Amino acid sequence: MTAPAVHGPAQLHGPARLYGPAALPGPRGPLSAAVLDALLRAPGSAHPEEWPPVAGVGPYSEDLHLALHLCYELHYRGLRGVATAWEWDPELLRLRARLEREFMDGLRTDAAGGDDVTSELDELLAEPVGGAGTSRRLAESGEWWQMREYFVHRSVYHHKEADPHALVIPRLHGRAKASLVAVEYDEFGAGRAEDVHAQLFVDLLGGAGLEPGYLHYLDDVPAPAIAIVNMMSMFGLHRGLRGALVGHFAAAETTTAPSSRRMVQALERLRADPACVHFYSEHVEADAVHEQVMRRDVIGGLLDDEPELAPDVVLGIQATGLLEDRLAHHLDTAWDRNTTSLLRPLDE
Ligand SMILES: [Fe+2]
Ligand SMILES: [Fe+2]
């Protein structure tokens, strides 16, 4: 992956900084190559003709998800060497809308749909989604190299843990807003920087001998894990998808307490560093409470005010299950063959 000429390679692609902006990854196809090429020029310089066609590229493809992730990262800590004005560049936003449509069409096609929020949430408890399968596998027979790969996949989310969900706050009010903010307050460390969950994950990476820099592993992580974060960003950035964001958040909180318990078992069996165990043990108790708050007060409050959002809440729950299942399937397929699940193996 060659560095673009206008900036020195070390400046753009060198070691990740702890808190961002992220180093630029290499392209994975024409769409991500076009976005990377544009971002290294002056904002306002992109033309409609330079974007490759999106239709037919596939809602879960590597190229689409890296391109979308780059567009979204401009709203978080940003990309190294990229002008901040790209965040609201109309031409880039036009491309982003096409990428989102392709992804969203795929999710709507593959999700079963419906409007029964209660039974969707009950089903999550009875029939755990993909993340649960992976934590079970890791608890029962996981090896340390698989655990480290799992951390790397999840790092693209946990570096910005709970940030995508904060985007929905201005779109809520009353009980839903007060309760979602209470959950976010815990995610953001309840007033203590050292307890911010994203920081606990940085500590976990250090404990596992992995590079803790912001999005350091973006070049290594395949689309199944990136798609989960893109889904959160897409739901968070569109007011029209606030129901889906809330549904996703509730689904995530419902499934993390039991899977975190299995992760603790796995990490203790593997005698992992205490920082690794701590990240998951912190989520066992917190998320049991968060699940109740999300269900009763956030979803309850939202649907009391806006009952017409029930199908969107269901979509958020089902899309989460769908994408978590895709990641679990990806991990199983690679690990069953005893090969890396990443785009390139980790250096030991
Ligand atoms: Fe958390
Ligand atoms: Fe939580």
Side-chain angles (χ1 to χ4, degrees):
M1 282 145 230
T2 51
V6 284
H7 296 272
Q11 189 191 349
L12 295 172
H13 299 270
R17 293 173 196 164
L18 199 46
Y19 301 111
L24 289 178
R28 295 186 193 176
L31 287 165
S32 49
V35 172
L36 284 163
D37 185 66
L39 291 176
L40 290 169
R41 305 196 312 257
S45 65
H47 295 285
E49 315 83 61
E50 74 183 81
W51 306 131
V54 175
V57 75
Y60 309 114
S61 72
E62 291 287 345
D63 192 26
L64 179 139
H65 279 288
L66 183 62
L68 196 50
H69 197 79
L70 291 167
C71 293
Y72 287 147
E73 187 50 39
L74 301 169
H75 299 293
Y76 297 105
R77 312 244 187 102
L79 298 159
R80 209 183 296 177
V82 172
T84 54
W86 276 109
E87 183 180 2
W88 300 108
D89 183 89
E91 208 43 64
L92 188 65
L93 290 172
R94 197 193 313 275
L95 174 70
R96 197 189 86 185
R98 288 189 204 133
L99 301 170
E100 287 173 329
R101 204 171 309 129
E102 180 79 4
F103 183 30
M104 201 62 201
D105 285 352
L107 292 176
R108 287 198 194 277
T109 302
D110 294 338
D115 59 5
D116 190 345
V117 174
T118 306
S119 78
E120 287 297 325
L121 289 170
D122 288 346
E123 227 171 90
L124 281 183
L125 292 171
E127 216 180 283
V129 291
T134 303
S135 63
R136 191 166 289 128
R137 177 185 184 131
L138 288 169
E140 285 165 8
S141 60
E143 296 175 36
W144 182 236
W145 68 272
Q146 295 167 331
M147 186 62 83
R148 292 175 89 236
E149 290 198 354
Y150 185 71
F151 294 159
V152 168
H153 283 280
R154 292 295 186 186
S155 68
V156 287
Y157 170 57
H158 290 304
H159 275 299
K160 54 167 73 78
E161 183 166 340
D163 287 345
H165 312 92
L167 296 168
V168 84
I169 294 169
R171 288 93 193 266
L172 303 176
H173 69 280
R175 189 153 63 103
K177 182 176 207 145
S179 309
L180 183 132
V181 169
V183 173
E184 287 284 82
Y185 180 70
D186 287 347
E187 302 293 341
F188 293 135
R192 288 181 299 275
E194 65 275 21
D195 291 338
V196 174
H197 287 186
Q199 179 59 48
L200 298 183
F201 199 80
V202 164
D203 299 342
L204 166 149
L205 290 171
L210 292 163
E211 178 53 55
Y214 184 70
L215 296 185
H216 174 86
Y217 292 105
L218 186 52
D219 253 339
D220 305 77
V221 176
I226 296 178
I228 296 171
V229 193
N230 285 346
M231 170 190 63
M232 300 176 195
S233 299
M234 180 169 67
F235 290 171
L237 284 164
H238 291 266
R239 190 171 63 84
L241 292 171
R242 63 196 179 284
L245 189 282
V246 165
H248 151 72
F249 199 0
E253 294 294 339
T254 302
T255 49
T256 40
S259 70
S260 293
R261 192 171 298 119
R262 288 188 287 270
M263 290 299 289
V264 169
Q265 283 169 19
L267 290 163
E268 283 175 346
R269 181 175 58 74
L270 292 165
R271 297 182 205 282
D273 185 276
C276 301
V277 179
H278 180 61
F279 176 81
Y280 290 99
S281 60
E282 189 65 21
H283 280 83
V284 174
E285 278 179 36
D287 286 353
V289 177
H290 292 171
E291 176 204 338
Q292 296 303 319
V293 176
M294 286 303 303
R295 223 185 139 121
R296 190 186 55 225
D297 298 314
V298 181
I299 292 186
L302 181 73
L303 293 181
D304 279 352
D305 291 339
E306 303 184 274
E308 68 280 9
L309 294 184
D312 288 348
V313 175
V314 168
L315 174 71
I317 298 168
Q318 291 177 346
T320 305
L322 201 86
L323 295 180
E324 287 290 347
D325 283 346
R326 288 184 66 87
L327 174 60
H329 177 74
H330 171 83
L331 296 173
D332 280 339
T333 306
W335 292 347
D336 285 350
R337 289 194 312 241
N338 213 26
T339 58
T340 182
S341 60
L342 299 168
L343 296 177
R344 55 187 183 197
L346 287 173
D347 300 329
E348 280 311 316

